[in-house]
Amino acid sequence: MRHPDDKHFCPLMNREIFWGGVGGCVEVQEVREDNMDMELLPEPIDLNKAEKICEKCRWYYVTD
């Protein structure tokens, strides 16, 4: 099971990010699912690129 402080190399951001927290993997998924405005992320993301990368990475899932 993931913890908000777990870190992972994010191919979308091209750096290590936290699973939870501000700008973390979970927030990127919230933006992708249109549950959060992208303006709340610390840096903008390319949603088309995120769709491809995040679905391949799948680190945003809690139990993978």
Side-chain angles (χ1 to χ4, degrees), residues 5-64:
D5 290 339
D6 289 346
K7 289 183 94 176
H8 166 80
F9 182 82
C10 175
L12 175 65
M13 303 288 199
N14 200 34
R15 61 178 168 78
E16 277 202 337
I17 65 169
F18 288 103
W19 180 71
V22 176
C25 190
V26 172
E27 284 196 345
V28 169
Q29 302 321 306
E30 289 293 309
V31 171
R32 285 183 58 220
E33 295 169 1
D34 203 24
N35 295 321
M36 184 174 129
D37 292 332
M38 191 179 318
E39 292 80 27
L40 298 174
L41 291 176
E43 59 190 275
I45 60 170
D46 179 328
L47 284 175
N48 291 323
K49 191 175 173 183
E51 287 298 318
K52 295 173 189 165
I53 291 174
C54 295
E55 283 306 309
K56 186 176 181 180
C57 174
R58 301 178 68 81
W59 196 62
Y60 58 92
Y61 283 104
V62 175
T63 57
D64 272 2

